[in-house]
Amino acid sequence: SYMFKMFKKIIAYLYPLSPLQQGMFFHSMTEPESGIDIVQNVCTLHGALNGRAFCEAWQKVAARHTILRTAFAGKGAKGPAQVVYRQVAIPVVEQDWRELPQQKQEQQLADYLDANLHRSFDLAKPPLIRLALFRVADEQYTFVWSYHHILLDAWSAALVFREVFAIYQSLCDGTEPPLEKPRPYRDFIAWLHRQDMKKAEAFWRKCLSGITAPTKLTIERAAAPAGVKSGDFAEKSIELSEKTTAALKKLAGKNRVTLNTVMQGAWALLLAKYSGESEVVYGVTVSTRPAEVPGAESMVGLFINTLPARFHVPAEVPFFAWLQTVQKQQLELRQYDYSPLHLIQQWSEMPRGTAMFDSILLFENFPGGDANEKFAGVRISDSKVVEGATGFPLTVLGSPGKKLFLMLRYELTSYAHDSIARLLEHFATLLESIVASPDARVSELAILPESERQQMLVDWNATEMDYPYEHCFHRLFEQQAAATPDAIALSFDGQQLSYRELNSRANQLAHFLKKQKVGAETLVGLCLERSAEMVIGLLGILKAGAAYVPLDPAYPAERIRYVLEDANAPVLVTSESVASVQYSVFRDQAARSGGAGVQGRKGAGEPGQASSNQHPATSSQLVLLDRDWPEIAKESRANPKTTVQPENLAYAIYTSGSTGKPK
């Protein structure tokens, strides 16, 4: 009884975690020193700041909102729980840096932020907040507010910050701040536990049917460079012009979609172009503030959830017409935005242990203040957020304003700096292309900036060169053989021929062919397996002044017969092994047709006993490079003289003939 009373004096409430809180809790437990889910808000305060009133304002805000007094216990039959303490003291570090030069101040701030980012919070001990106030000039301070993301989303953080300064104003003025009593975060948790998970399961099973792997950008780093370790992140950002931003907002309104939907569609399209897939899946971070809970918009806590978004990206549909479908899918998804990601993973067809997506898109649209707004004479400027790891390799952040802000936050073990820089530029170009061509179809929208298009389409294709058009190929080869006779010209299956050897053998074949009345405009069949002999045959035919007709030895006999007769080829360069196979094919065909003789064959015996050098199915004279080479080798090794010009035939290639006769 005594222990229970003491517990009640210290602890106000005990209740479960939201789905995203559960994920963050387990991440922090497994990687406590990684800086995962640590958020640092940094800004500059100008004016005569009352430090005592400023710190007191933070204590009063913590007293107003239960989530700021919450810790997280990992044990219990029902899993981890949120433990709300009745009172907490928020720690504040105050240092005077006015005597330090600006460069030293900047270095000390960078060192603090880095150390603070990797200084883990003990989730079991509240508060999960710490403050630092560095005085850099008489009336200028750098303020750092750090907290664990398990407490707050960006919307709630903005509400807290404005409340702090509203209370600070009242403390300085001696008045009461005009703030209503907030609704506690536990009301949202109670709403979560009333939702129908069976309906959610049915929705997600249908939504993700057929998806078995995450969509890859295809720019993933093969291996991380030295010094880069898991959990190291970097950021790259860009701002669109005011004109482009205003045009995007106007187009969104005209087409009855939100700017968030435009961003969703643009990122899906970019993923499709990078991955080559028409079906893409990526993560979206959504706000789960329920409209049916009164006062939900002003509640403070973690009201976001990360969910998979699946979109089919059609090529021929106008972009804004497609966005209507994207927005409809988003509205359907919002009905089940309370679903825990780990359960969605189980309901999907993704293999266990496989991440559902590699990138997440976060569109921040939360209440902010005028940059020049003052509270009791204190002005805020240069606000920025520095976050730790998120658990995803790539986070895409969009933030509206006069200029649309785009940022890519990427894990250094997964992506290289230059790849991310190019991706970000392509994203910005795509949004600009939407403005330039609002009626364009999805496939017509460009992602390449003009400089990159010029490089890819013009600069890299400037391959025009001057060649000696007055010489034929075999003459150019002869010049190379004279210049580098001992260099390796041909390698095949362990065999090597120098330029001298290849040129000499081709010359001997050319002289032999010329004795067979082969010359300019003569079509010579070439039927050999891929080999050194095939190249000798090809080059020898050209050197004889003729044109070659390539024939695959695997072709049906009927095709070879037809091509040689259609080309009127008087000579066929082949080998005894190829001719023997072809002969057996024709013999078998003749037997099936009633024992008719082999067409075109005159006095032929069995292979290896042939007394004639004619092809068994044609009237072409055979030159068998293997059997006839002793005779061919008696010819001159000198370059043959021909009268052919570059305008003469070099080769004739027949089409496949899959739907009829080859031609």
Side-chain angles (χ1 to χ4, degrees):
S1 175
Y2 172 77
M3 291 297 295
F4 180 74
K5 288 180 180 178
M6 291 299 295
F7 180 84
K8 290 291 290 181
K9 283 185 178 181
I10 299 172
I11 306 300
Y13 305 105
L14 199 69
Y15 46 84
L17 281 63
S18 73
L20 191 58
Q21 282 181 318
Q22 291 180 34
M24 291 182 179
F25 178 82
F26 288 116
H27 271 142
S28 294
M29 291 295 101
T30 55
E31 300 181 69
E33 303 299 326
S34 66
I36 196 165
D37 294 321
I38 304 299
V39 182
Q40 299 179 119
N41 286 280
V42 186
C43 67
T44 302
L45 306 179
H46 306 266
L49 180 72
N50 183 330
R52 183 162 161 255
F54 186 62
C55 293
E56 186 178 348
W58 278 97
Q59 293 297 147
K60 287 185 175 293
V61 169
R64 281 175 50 80
H65 297 288
T66 57
I67 192 66
L68 302 182
R69 294 178 274 119
T70 297
F72 297 83
K75 295 182 179 180
K78 296 183 179 180
Q82 304 193 58
V83 183
V84 180
Y85 285 68
R86 295 188 181 276
Q87 292 182 334
V88 297
I90 297 178
V92 183
V93 172
E94 293 187 77
Q95 294 180 6
D96 193 335
W97 291 355
R98 283 178 292 178
E99 299 299 322
L100 301 176
Q102 183 178 353
Q103 185 176 3
K104 181 66 174 176
Q105 290 178 356
E106 292 174 354
Q107 183 59 53
Q108 289 206 170
L109 177 61
D111 292 343
Y112 173 82
L113 292 176
D114 183 65
N116 186 51
L117 191 65
H118 294 90
R119 179 184 159 206
S120 62
F121 285 101
D122 184 347
L123 296 186
K125 297 179 180 179
L128 305 181
I129 296 172
R130 46 182 174 252
L131 312 176
L133 193 61
F134 306 118
R135 192 170 188 178
V136 296
D138 288 346
E139 293 193 351
Q140 185 173 326
Y141 300 80
T142 297
F143 175 59
V144 182
W145 167 32
S146 309
Y147 61 89
H148 199 290
H149 200 1
I150 199 170
L151 297 183
L152 305 168
D153 53 34
W155 181 290
S156 295
L159 291 175
V160 167
F161 204 61
R162 289 188 64 78
E163 279 195 15
V164 165
F165 276 94
I167 293 173
Y168 172 78
Q169 175 87 54
S170 68
L171 289 173
C172 293
D173 295 344
T175 59
E176 284 294 321
L179 299 174
E180 296 181 0
K181 183 178 179 180
R183 188 157 187 171
Y185 185 62
R186 68 178 183 274
D187 289 356
F188 168 68
I189 298 296
W191 173 84
L192 275 179
H193 285 269
R194 292 195 298 269
Q195 303 313 299
D196 191 336
M197 297 307 293
K198 289 190 177 297
K199 285 186 177 180
E201 179 179 356
F203 169 80
W204 288 112
R205 285 189 182 278
K206 181 180 178 181
C207 176
L208 298 174
S209 176
I211 298 296
T212 58
T215 303
K216 295 287 186 181
L217 274 167
T218 69
I219 60 170
E220 288 78 7
R221 187 195 291 274
V228 173
K229 60 184 183 300
S230 178
D232 287 348
F233 279 76
E235 297 173 354
K236 286 192 181 294
S237 61
I238 194 173
E239 278 187 329
L240 300 188
S241 67
E242 289 188 24
K243 182 179 179 181
T244 299
T245 302
L248 276 174
K249 291 178 179 178
K250 185 177 180 180
L251 283 170
K254 178 182 176 181
N255 289 277
R256 299 186 301 279
V257 296
T258 65
L259 188 57
N260 183 16
T261 300
V262 176
M263 290 284 291
Q264 298 277 358
W267 181 247
L269 174 54
L270 195 62
L271 268 181
K273 286 181 177 287
Y274 262 74
S275 66
E277 303 287 342
S278 61
E279 199 90 30
V280 299
V281 178
Y282 61 89
V284 291
T285 300
V286 298
S287 173
T288 56
R289 293 175 183 267
E292 58 266 38
V293 176
E297 293 301 303
S298 60
M299 293 171 72
V300 171
L302 188 69
F303 293 90
I304 59 174
N305 196 11
T306 301
L307 303 169
R310 175 188 186 178
F311 296 113
H312 174 70
V313 183
E316 302 306 317
V317 177
F319 179 73
F320 277 100
W322 172 56
L323 285 190
Q324 300 288 342
T325 303
V326 172
Q327 184 152 286
K328 181 181 177 181
Q329 287 182 240
Q330 286 181 307
L331 292 174
E332 291 175 350
L333 180 147
R334 291 301 303 271
Q335 298 178 52
Y336 306 96
D337 58 12
Y338 54 82
S339 309
L341 186 59
H342 73 276
L343 286 182
I344 297 174
Q345 171 89 37
Q346 295 176 21
W347 298 332
S348 75
E349 297 172 22
M350 289 276 191
R352 294 296 172 88
T354 301
M356 296 198 70
F357 39 80
D358 288 345
S359 65
I360 61 170
L361 176 64
L362 173 60
F363 189 74
E364 290 186 338
N365 189 15
F366 49 83
D370 188 338
N372 295 313
E373 189 174 2
K374 290 185 177 181
F375 299 89
V378 176
R379 181 174 62 87
I380 307 167
S381 73
D382 303 323
S383 296
K384 65 178 181 178
V385 178
V386 181
E387 295 188 55
T390 62
F392 300 100
L394 180 65
T395 299
V396 185
L397 174 68
S399 183
K402 288 186 177 180
K403 294 182 178 181
L404 181 60
F405 176 78
L406 302 175
M407 185 185 77
L408 298 182
R409 194 157 185 278
Y410 56 102
E411 190 172 24
L412 293 173
T413 55
S414 299
Y415 301 102
H417 298 296
D418 56 347
S419 297
I420 291 295
R422 190 161 53 251
L423 176 64
L424 184 60
E425 188 175 15
H426 290 171
F427 195 17
T429 301
L430 176 57
L431 292 170
E432 291 165 353
S433 180
I434 293 168
V435 170
S437 307
D439 298 323
R441 292 175 296 178
V442 170
S443 61
E444 295 170 338
L445 293 171
I447 67 171
L448 299 182
E450 185 58 40
S451 59
E452 196 169 345
R453 280 199 296 270
Q454 169 73 20
Q455 183 184 54
M456 294 184 69
L457 300 179
V458 179
D459 298 347
W460 286 351
N461 283 305
T463 56
E464 182 178 345
M465 294 181 67
D466 288 329
Y467 290 95
Y469 294 105
E470 69 278 9
H471 294 307
C472 297
F473 165 74
H474 59 281
R475 294 300 180 214
L476 297 176
F477 182 85
E478 290 167 0
Q479 293 174 14
Q480 184 65 39
T484 59
D486 297 320
I488 299 302
L490 177 65
S491 297
F492 177 79
D493 198 22
Q495 180 184 8
Q496 289 185 333
L497 293 178
S498 67
Y499 274 94
R500 178 190 290 111
E501 292 169 327
L502 178 56
N503 191 54
S504 296
R505 295 188 191 187
N507 287 342
Q508 291 172 321
L509 176 60
H511 287 296
F512 186 83
L513 291 175
K514 290 184 70 175
K515 289 182 178 180
Q516 316 302 318
K517 309 302 182 184
V518 167
E521 302 296 311
T522 304
L523 291 175
V524 176
L526 181 66
C527 188
L528 289 167
E529 300 285 356
R530 289 173 183 263
S531 60
E533 286 70 27
M534 185 189 75
V535 179
I536 292 170
L538 185 153
L539 191 53
I541 293 170
L542 292 176
K543 282 173 168 285
Y548 62 88
V549 181
L551 295 161
D552 193 324
Y555 283 165
E558 177 63 22
R559 176 188 172 91
I560 292 178
R561 181 199 63 78
Y562 175 84
V563 170
L564 289 173
E565 290 187 351
D566 187 71
N568 194 25
V571 175
L572 173 63
V573 177
T574 183
S575 67
E576 188 171 29
S577 58
V578 172
S580 298
V581 171
Q582 291 293 342
Y583 174 76
S584 64
V585 169
F586 295 130
R587 183 186 59 190
D588 293 343
Q589 284 183 332
R592 285 195 296 271
S593 62
V598 178
Q599 179 185 2
R601 182 68 168 169
K602 299 179 180 178
E606 289 296 316
Q609 300 175 352
S611 59
S612 170
N613 256 24
Q614 283 186 310
H615 189 276
T618 74
S619 58
S620 299
Q621 183 72 24
L622 296 186
V623 175
L624 306 176
L625 288 189
D626 46 3
R627 195 186 72 178
D628 295 339
W629 192 256
E631 288 297 316
I632 298 172
K634 295 177 182 179
E635 300 294 337
S636 172
R637 293 173 176 265
N639 295 328
K641 294 180 180 180
T642 63
T643 59
V644 294
Q645 300 296 320
E647 293 77 18
N648 288 115
L649 288 179
Y651 56 83
I653 295 180
Y654 279 70
T655 59
S656 66
S658 58
T659 58
K661 296 288 187 181
K663 53 188 175 182

